[in-house]
Amino acid sequence: MNVQDEISAKEKRVYAGVHPGVDMFVLDSSEKTIARNLSRCFYITKCLDIQIGNSEYKYMFVKLCSDMAISHGIKSEIIVLFSPFDNFEPRTLDAIETIHNAHSGFRLDKICAFVISKDKNFVSKLETIIRTQKESRVITPFTYDELIASNDDSFYRDRIRSFFFERNLFDFDSPLKKDTYFFGREAITHQLVEKHLSGENGALFGLRRSGKTSILFSVSRMLQARGGFSVIIDCEALHLNRWWMALYYVVDKINKSCPKSININESRYTEEHAAIEFERDISRLKGKVPGKILIIFDEIEQITFGVSFSSAWKNGGDFVKFWHMLRAVFQSKDGPLTFIIAGTNPRCLEVAFVDGGDNPLYGQITPVYIDGFDVDQTKKMVGTLASYMGMHFDEEIYAYLKREFGGHPFLIRQACSYIKGKIAKGASRRVDRLLYQEAVYEFNSGFGAKFCEMVIGVLSEHYKDEYTMLSYLARGDVSDFNELAESDPAYTLHLLGYGVLEKVGSGYDFKIDAIKTYMEGKEKYQRLNLNNDEKLSEIGSRRNNVEGKLRKMVRQCLISSIGEDELKRQMLSKHDEKKRRRYATLSVHDLFDPDKHEIYFDDLRELMRKNWDATFRNIFSDDVEKFNSRMVLLNSVGRSDAHKKDVKDHDMQTFRGAMTWLEEKINDYFR
């Protein structure tokens, strides 16, 4: 039984109508007509008004009838907002959030809403808003004129379907600033908020796109809802300042976010006086906010020694002075603040000595790593978003998604976004195992590989040894992996913390199959101790793959530089008179087709060598002799597969070096 069937089995059926306790006195005559018409297809449970600023809004809560609720997976009540203005403004949508927050005790749907506007162009205007505001709710638009007219059930169904099904709710590529599409991170959010409320500092780390910044926004929202105060500092801007002006930057950000600001003298934030001014200003600001001040430092690696792009921070001097000051204020009497540091690289907590002295953060905070979603969390996120788009995932697919992407929410959403693109081309909106396997294979071969490279980029940039361990594991060199792991236990702890690896029996395995596939693809030509058949297979595969691309590149470049007539003359010049006559009628494109003309790897080498200075020097950035020697080597060793001869280890390594060079040059050309 699927989720929708469970809903209908457990709850009473809902029919169109109006709850007996609803009084529509707040509505004008036209709005009452609209409400009566809506009640023929929906069940109205509440009707109220609300004052927001200088504007008054009227609204209702409705429930979908059971069959429609099942098809969309919506069992909660939906906000219906009246916008009684002839010109619709995007800020009107903010009223929905205000209404939602004012009725937190109700079971209101947090993703969808209906909006009814007097603006005759409202439907087209909303389509524009949705394209520019990805975090907006799933809004179904209606106009007063449409709903004053009597409409049957199909009108509402078609309008809802067009605005639900067309949205791609999986396609989020920026941090989530609202709760609307925030899933599965409530436990981490609560943990960080509770640390602050108990006067402790926190630290949050994770792979790129693991939801770190979205969690920080959620912490800020939750703390505000509980009457607290926080400010988020982006260290990408902070590192542009020296340590004393960085302190001013922090104070200024807090001051601008305070309910009541104070006067801050920027000129006094000098290297000599900044520490005193910072402590004094924080004390003054503390009196303007409820509770302690929570300062959230995002992208902490930007001000971390050995990592920052700014030399003063990278050398460690500014890092030490800045954090000595923050720690001193935190530890002062009635400590006015706590802080959370967050990023991809926890180096700032792991190194004991910096710039010849103690690291003020070392041993002070235990970092929290962002876990991947489990199957239930994956199901909640994917199943919920899918239901609004009329999609249905077979139950087993959630476990597949979790295994393939290790519970990494960004990778899961992007894969599901790709699946939605495939569904849009067909009639069925069901995602079964066959569709899933086909779509994920295509995704991992294209966009997915780029996402994986981005996600684990933090390892290749900052943790070279850990990245090398992944490379060993991907190519099957377990002994080398174990040797490096045993040399420093911290290496394995990082990989486990990031959720890239998991402990399996007495060894380790990739936790994210997509990253395993990506790394295996990168490392497939790095394996050692191959037998001769494996060597010949690699040689043949790489040679066949590169030769087709090389023919295309040479043809394009030479047509552009010397023209088709001269290129044809050069290509035919290798033949005797009889063959020249036979091939003379072929076009240049046909002369590069191995099924129509004798065109070999060595022929391509010779064409490139002849036209080196005018055409190919800029592509290969080498002198012609180095190029020629590599190509001759590839033509010699590269034909080992055809002759089935033994390939010595030395020759195999030489072939790999030359072939990798050629592959990179050709790929750069076509990029």
Side-chain angles (χ1 to χ4, degrees), residues 393-401 430-434:
F393 284 73
D394 284 0
E395 192 68 23
E396 61 190 340
I397 304 302
Y398 302 117
Y400 295 161
L401 284 166
R430 174 190 169 198
V431 182
D432 58 19
R433 182 171 59 86
L434 293 178

Side-chain angles (χ1 to χ4, degrees), residues 11 119 198 208 216 232 288 298 305 333 385 486 564:
E11 299 189 357
D119 189 334
S198 61
R208 289 192 178 118
L216 300 181
I232 297 177
K288 304 295 182 180
D298 195 13
F305 51 90
K333 182 182 178 182
L385 296 179
E486 291 168 3
E564 292 192 14

Side-chain angles (χ1 to χ4, degrees), residues 149-161:
S150 180
N151 292 291
D152 60 18
D153 186 67
S154 63
F155 168 78
Y156 296 105
R157 288 179 181 274
D158 291 344
R159 180 61 58 84
I160 291 170
R161 186 180 296 111

